């Protein structure tokens, strides 16, 4: 399992910095310090590594602690992901993969749609608990959240070049914008959308 | 000028479909029906064509008719752009260029920052006219609008594959979300954020 982790960590870094297309299996071996034999024991190809990276990220999404409001869980998931993006190579690698058009369309599509579905489930639960305003479309809001996150990451990483410091602020703004529109006022008033909540959640 | 337009139209299509990296000058010649000599009379390289495409898009941004509220002008600019993306090859080409990481970083960055600055100017004017709520940061809102647009386009074009029908709906949702948060209630109540306003504005 340690070898596997070494490979995935190296893949995160290389995909984030070089991009999926440019990074090779040879690069992965050099960066992870893993032998060719050990690599092929765990993975069949570079694509296989990318798939594992995506899968792992998807599973981690579920790991937010239950809260009084489902909308708070959506907020927490986003804040935690953003904190991870700040330091986590794997998360950065995944996001870069998602922004590369023409590469592994199916993989990317399925990962993003999975994120949409994940948000949709939480929003549906929020609706059942009476947290959402009547006019809100669950599907559209879920798509909007995932799309806007991708756009913010794109902007932070490549245009403004302050992903380290700016992304948390931007995601918090996104969440405040969206929640103030979709939540009923009583719920919105109780939501905690502070930027540093993500870091606190990761530490506990 | 007709030759120039033919080349830019072809570039829009080819950049949108193949991507900037894959499309070649030979492709541009074949698709535009322009001779090599005519091409190099107007442009020095593929990069030069991309730059012209970006520049043209930036200039077009300014062409929204003045409205009672500056926020309505921001809404109109976005709705018009979205309508154009539906049918306009050049606009699609530009957006695809913006989503390709690692290619022409400087060009892409400057175009996106230009869009941020453009929105910032309108938002500043909106503030001076008393349209914005006190808590609103003009810079952050401008960045947010541009980022979210990119994310929505990414999602519509490549993940959900309904850029033709879905983008207008998504942009209208984005604008309603943002405007309901940043505008004072009296202004928000008067804004027209219907999806088909963009088409109407293009036709007049």
């Amino acid at each position: 399992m340690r070898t596997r982790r070494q490979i995935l960590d190296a893949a995160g870094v290389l995909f984030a910095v070089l991009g999926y297309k440019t990074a090779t299996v040879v690069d992965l071996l050099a960066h992870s310090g893993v032998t060719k034999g050990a690599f092929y024991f765990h993975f069949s190809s570079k694509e296989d590594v990318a798939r594992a990276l995506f899968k792992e990220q998807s599973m981690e999404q579920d790991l937010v602690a239950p809260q009084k409001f489902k909308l708070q869980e959506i907020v927490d998931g986003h804040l935690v992901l953003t904190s991870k993006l700040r330091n986590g190579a794997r998360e950065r690698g995944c996001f870069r993969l998602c922004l590369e058009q023409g590469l592994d369309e199916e993989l990317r599509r399925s990962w993003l749609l999975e994120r949409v579905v994940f948000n949709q489930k939480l929003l549906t639960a929020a609706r059942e608990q009476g947290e959402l305003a009547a006019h809100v479309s669950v599907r559209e809001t879920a798509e909007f959240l995932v799309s806007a996150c991708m756009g913010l990451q794109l902007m932070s990483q490549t245009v403004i070049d302050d992903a380290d410091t700016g992304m948390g602020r931007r995601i918090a703004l996104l969440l405040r914008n969206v929640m103030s529109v979709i939540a009923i006022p009583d719920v919105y008033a109780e939501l905690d959308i502070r930027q540093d909540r993500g870091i606190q959640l990761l530490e506990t």
Side-chain angles (χ1 to χ4, degrees), chain A residues 98-176:
Chain A
C98 280
L99 294 172
E100 281 193 67
Q101 269 187 306
L103 310 171
D104 256 304
E105 286 298 308
E106 262 321 293
L107 191 61
R108 193 170 72 134
R109 192 179 305 227
S110 67
W111 189 69
L112 283 170
L113 284 178
E114 219 170 273
R115 292 195 62 202
V116 171
V117 170
F118 181 77
N119 281 299
Q120 213 173 333
K121 272 187 202 153
L122 284 175
L123 285 165
T124 304
R127 165 140 289 159
E128 282 160 8
Q129 288 190 194
E131 299 173 25
L132 295 187
H135 66 84
V136 174
S137 155
V138 160
R139 175 77 194 185
E140 285 184 0
T141 304
E143 282 178 6
F144 180 77
L145 274 169
V146 177
S147 307
C149 273
M150 294 305 299
L152 292 178
Q153 180 65 8
L154 178 77
M155 200 78 171
S156 302
Q157 227 173 25
T158 69
V159 179
I160 304 175
D161 203 18
D162 67 345
D164 286 344
T165 54
M167 191 58 186
R169 192 168 40 79
R170 290 199 185 92
I171 286 285
L173 180 67
L174 163 70
L175 292 168
R176 277 196 300 273

Side-chain angles (χ1 to χ4, degrees), chain A residues 36-131:
Chain A
K36 201 168 167 180
F39 178 90
Y40 284 108
F41 177 78
H42 289 284
F43 300 102
S44 64
S45 62
K46 178 172 80 170
E47 203 188 356
D48 200 21
V49 176
R51 207 173 290 123
L53 210 57
F54 271 123
K55 195 159 187 183
E56 201 178 62
Q57 294 305 312
S58 306
M59 279 163 54
E60 284 206 1
Q61 260 188 337
D62 298 284
L63 298 179
V64 172
Q67 302 290 327
K68 181 178 168 195
F69 298 121
K70 286 291 162 187
L71 292 182
Q72 185 67 56
E73 293 180 26
I74 293 178
V75 167
D76 290 354
H78 281 85
L79 292 176
V80 165
L81 179 66
T82 310
S83 298
K84 282 186 185 164
L85 272 170
R86 197 167 166 170
N87 301 306
R90 296 189 199 179
E91 288 78 7
R92 278 176 187 249
C94 257
F95 258 85
R96 169 89 192 242
L97 285 181
C98 280
L99 294 172
E100 281 193 67
Q101 269 187 306
L103 310 171
D104 256 304
E105 286 298 308
E106 262 321 293
L107 191 61
R108 193 170 72 134
R109 192 179 305 227
S110 67
W111 189 69
L112 283 170
L113 284 178
E114 219 170 273
R115 292 195 62 202
V116 171
V117 170
F118 181 77
N119 281 299
Q120 213 173 333
K121 272 187 202 153
L122 284 175
L123 285 165
T124 304
R127 165 140 289 159
E128 282 160 8
Q129 288 190 194
E131 299 173 25

